[in-house]
Amino acid sequence: MASDFSRLMKQDFSDLEAAVKIWRGLSTTTDSLTDRHRRQVTGPLHQSWKGDDADAALFYLEDVESRIAVVETEAMAIAEVLDTTRFWMEQAQTDLRNAVRRAEQDGFDVDEDGWVSDRTTSDLPRQDPDAQQLIAERNRLLTEHRAAMDDALTAAHKASNDGARALGELNGDILTDPLSHDAAAESAQDVKNAMKAVGVQAPQIPSDDPKAAAEWWKALSPEERQAYTTLYPKQIGATDGLPTDVRDDANRTALDQELNAIQEGGNWDERFPGDDLETVNKRLDNLLILNDRLEASDSAPKGKELYLLGYDSKDDGRAIIAMGNPDTAAHTGILVPGTNTEMSGVDGQLTRIDRLQSSAAKQSDGESVAMITWIGYDAPEFKPTDPGSVATRDRAEDAAPDLRQFVAGTQAAHDGTPSHTTVLGHSYGTTVVGAAAEGGDGLGADDVVAVGSPGMTVDHASDLQMDPEHVWIGTADDDAVANNTSDYTLGRDPMLGGFGGNNIKIDTHGHSGYWDKESLSLANQGAIIAGKTPAEVPKQGSELPPGVDIVPGL
């Protein structure tokens, strides 16, 4: 049997390279299959098939979908393990061959089993002091060459053993055990263990810099992008500046893994350190709401498809969802909701951006429109007997950096001509928008819209670090929330003269009617999102024609 030395010297790694390519191909194919299954099978069935039989069938089909997704993850993990093992063994082979070459250049002989001998000292007189000095020097050099070869062999053994241990974590029982319902959660942990075994580190993404993150992503090879998305979904999905479809794919994988971990995995202390059972159950409720709403739109028509750009299941829950792809849209609107918004309100927020998108599309001269609901902060809770955080700017100031970074991320990820970007706030969401625009280098939006505002943290539109001509304010006459809370702790009432900007016509009622169908309120917001001027009203501080009174709320 050939020695380890001989095998490593002659090793051909082309088989490993071919295996890596095949496993990567399997992962990529199953990724495509998961998407097709969701959009062409379970998505349409959710819309058209109801009843007990439908529920049972959909449970089975979604279990199949989940298993396909696990194959995608584990296949990519196997590819990474094999590729990493190949890399380190090739490195060890290179080191070994270099050690042999240096030994031979120094006049030593290396046989096929790696034994190093020195023919130059075999005939020297052993009693001669000069010969003894030469022999000692040659022996020292021989020891160094042997050590270099031993180090290379040790590195090869370690790479092989680490690879074998990592592959042992990826046992593929998802394909053979029909009763394994916690496969997604277990797979995520198996992949984590496997990557640790071969020393693969999580991606080193530039932090808090969407533009740098976008450049980092563009510099990766297609194989690296697919591997990071599949193996590190939570980190990739949360990174502003990366492509929308990439974040959506990663976040859906992370969502499925987290949901599966809670439903089937147990071991709360390990999976969610510091969470008690009540907190974990709240996470579960939030995840189910989000997952069900995404599934309900899996068969949405082009332009109305949903992209999950971020989520957090803890506490009230957070979700950032795009309708239409902002990376390719000519116009992008970002709606920041207000008080009492939590995961249970996702459906209502999606209804609002759906109407805003449709309204803008009607006025955009055929240009594409994407809308985003940004439930990306901890909205304050309002209780009549205890206003609490809703009366302070704290939550808005905490959210402001995240909103600025998110807006910058949509711009960094956009393809081609920059999208016309409008950030809209409602209720306390206008306070968040104001704080984001006032701070840092500004919000970076082309237009800002505030409806039902209790205050935007500033006294003048010019304080928002943008042209006041692109600041639009609207409040319904009977909006009790805005009318009774503005001009106090959250800033000057932006509807009043002297604030600056433009007041838009509002014909809806109350604090939540700004998106009523067929309303002028909705049409005006849609016009702004589409880059058009809404229905005209007198500017604040301008003189009115004789006999015309200022109408409250305009």
Side-chain angles (χ1 to χ4, degrees):
M1 178 180 292
S3 67
D4 290 345
F5 174 89
S6 178
R7 285 201 298 270
L8 185 58
M9 285 289 289
K10 300 175 182 178
Q11 180 70 47
D12 179 2
F13 293 100
S14 60
D15 286 349
L16 264 181
E17 290 175 346
V20 169
K21 185 176 181 180
I22 290 170
W23 282 107
R24 278 206 179 112
L26 175 60
S27 179
T28 302
T29 299
T30 50
D31 178 41
S32 176
L33 289 174
T34 301
D35 184 67
R36 286 174 54 192
H37 193 273
R38 185 175 70 243
R39 297 191 182 279
Q40 298 179 19
V41 181
T42 54
L45 288 177
H46 272 291
Q47 301 297 320
S48 60
W49 200 11
K50 306 296 180 183
D52 293 341
D53 290 343
D55 291 342
L58 283 168
F59 176 82
Y60 171 78
L61 289 171
E62 285 166 356
D63 184 60
V64 170
E65 195 173 287
S66 177
R67 290 171 186 269
I68 295 173
V70 170
V71 173
E72 173 197 348
T73 301
E74 296 217 356
M76 182 59 73
I78 291 171
E80 284 298 295
V81 168
L82 293 177
D83 200 33
T84 301
T85 302
R86 175 203 58 77
F87 172 84
W88 288 115
M89 291 195 71
E90 276 194 331
Q91 183 64 54
Q93 183 186 68
T94 299
D95 291 344
L96 181 62
R97 288 175 175 177
N98 287 339
V100 170
R101 178 177 52 80
R102 287 192 294 269
E104 291 175 341
Q105 288 174 342
D106 285 339
F108 294 98
D109 295 319
V110 183
D111 68 18
E112 64 179 11
D113 291 325
W115 180 255
V116 184
S117 58
D118 186 9
R119 64 178 180 273
T120 64
T121 60
S122 59
D123 296 329
L124 291 177
R126 300 292 173 177
Q127 303 303 319
D128 186 314
D130 292 335
Q132 289 177 354
Q133 183 176 355
L134 178 60
I135 292 171
E137 179 61 25
R138 294 289 292 176
N139 284 341
R140 182 190 63 77
L141 195 57
L142 182 147
T143 300
E144 289 180 0
H145 288 309
R146 283 180 177 170
M149 295 178 200
D150 288 342
D151 287 345
L153 288 172
T154 298
H157 279 294
K158 181 179 187 305
S160 178
N161 292 337
D162 289 348
R165 187 167 66 255
L167 290 176
E169 296 284 349
L170 307 167
N171 53 28
D173 58 359
I174 180 63
L175 299 176
T176 58
D177 183 3
L179 300 179
S180 176
H181 296 298
D182 61 345
E186 290 299 326
S187 177
Q189 186 60 46
D190 291 345
V191 167
K192 182 178 179 180
N193 293 339
M195 295 301 101
K196 182 178 179 180
V198 291
V200 172
Q201 301 295 316
Q204 303 302 303
I205 308 174
S207 60
D208 302 327
D209 188 342
K211 187 175 181 180
E215 293 302 318
W216 169 82
W217 181 261
K218 291 175 184 177
L220 298 176
S221 68
E223 292 79 13
E224 288 172 322
R225 294 176 188 172
Q226 187 65 34
Y228 284 148
T229 303
T230 305
L231 302 178
Y232 303 96
K234 190 70 173 176
Q235 188 171 351
I236 294 297
T239 300
D240 294 319
L242 300 194
T244 289
D245 56 349
V246 170
R247 296 182 68 177
D248 176 64
D249 190 21
N251 279 318
R252 286 178 186 257
T253 297
L255 173 63
D256 188 49
Q257 291 174 350
E258 188 173 342
L259 183 57
N260 188 247
I262 296 176
Q263 288 178 314
E264 306 289 349
N267 301 322
W268 314 126
D269 291 342
E270 294 180 14
R271 299 184 187 278
F272 307 102
D275 285 4
D276 57 21
L277 184 56
E278 181 180 355
T279 303
V280 170
N281 283 335
K282 179 60 176 175
R283 283 185 182 272
L284 176 59
D285 290 342
N286 289 333
L287 291 169
L288 288 171
I289 290 169
L290 180 57
N291 188 63
D292 290 348
R293 188 58 186 83
L294 291 172
E295 288 182 347
S297 296
D298 277 343
S299 61
K302 184 173 178 57
K304 290 292 184 180
E305 62 270 38
L306 299 184
Y307 297 89
L308 182 60
L309 300 181
Y311 80 94
D312 188 343
S313 64
K314 193 172 183 180
D315 299 327
D316 291 336
R318 302 184 188 188
I320 304 170
I321 305 173
M323 181 174 290
N325 192 336
D327 293 356
T328 57
H331 304 277
T332 300
I334 303 168
L335 178 61
V336 182
T339 306
N340 293 331
T341 302
E342 53 188 39
M343 192 71 82
S344 60
V346 161
D347 193 58
Q349 296 301 326
L350 290 176
T351 297
R352 290 175 178 179
I353 66 170
D354 181 19
R355 293 178 181 177
L356 285 168
Q357 184 194 42
S358 296
S359 176
K362 290 178 182 178
Q363 305 176 71
S364 67
D365 299 327
E367 294 181 323
S368 57
V369 178
M371 281 298 306
I372 300 169
T373 178
W374 193 79
I375 314 174
Y377 76 111
D378 184 13
E381 301 77 23
F382 176 73
K383 298 177 182 178
T385 57
D386 180 18
S389 57
V390 76
T392 73
R393 305 180 185 190
D394 295 349
R395 301 282 183 94
E397 291 172 352
D398 288 345
D402 293 335
L403 180 57
R404 282 196 296 270
Q405 181 169 304
F406 178 78
V407 174
T410 64
Q411 295 167 343
H414 194 271
D415 296 329
T417 304
S419 181
H420 167 256
T421 302
T422 302
V423 179
L424 308 92
H426 170 236
S427 187
Y428 194 88
T430 69
T431 313
V432 174
V433 172
E438 177 192 20
D441 294 325
L443 194 49
D446 296 291
D447 288 278
V448 160
V449 179
V451 293
S453 177
M456 300 184 70
T457 75
V458 297
D459 291 334
H460 302 94
S462 58
D463 295 332
L464 298 176
Q465 301 192 73
M466 62 184 298
D467 184 354
E469 288 298 305
H470 290 275
V471 177
W472 310 87
I473 314 295
T475 296
D477 293 348
D478 57 353
D479 185 336
V481 174
N483 291 333
N484 292 321
T485 59
S486 58
D487 249 350
Y488 290 102
T489 58
L490 301 181
R492 184 176 186 174
D493 184 349
M495 286 292 293
L496 295 179
F499 182 82
N502 303 282
N503 289 356
I504 59 175
K505 288 184 178 179
I506 300 295
D507 63 343
T508 51
H509 297 283
H511 191 57
S512 302
Y514 297 99
W515 307 274
D516 287 352
K517 291 181 178 180
E518 308 302 326
S519 68
L520 184 59
S521 304
L522 178 64
N524 277 340
Q525 293 176 78
I528 297 166
I529 294 167
K532 302 295 179 64
T533 302
E536 293 184 5
V537 295
K539 293 182 179 298
Q540 293 182 2
S542 66
E543 294 193 7
L544 300 175
V548 177
D549 294 326
I550 297 178
V551 180
L554 294 186

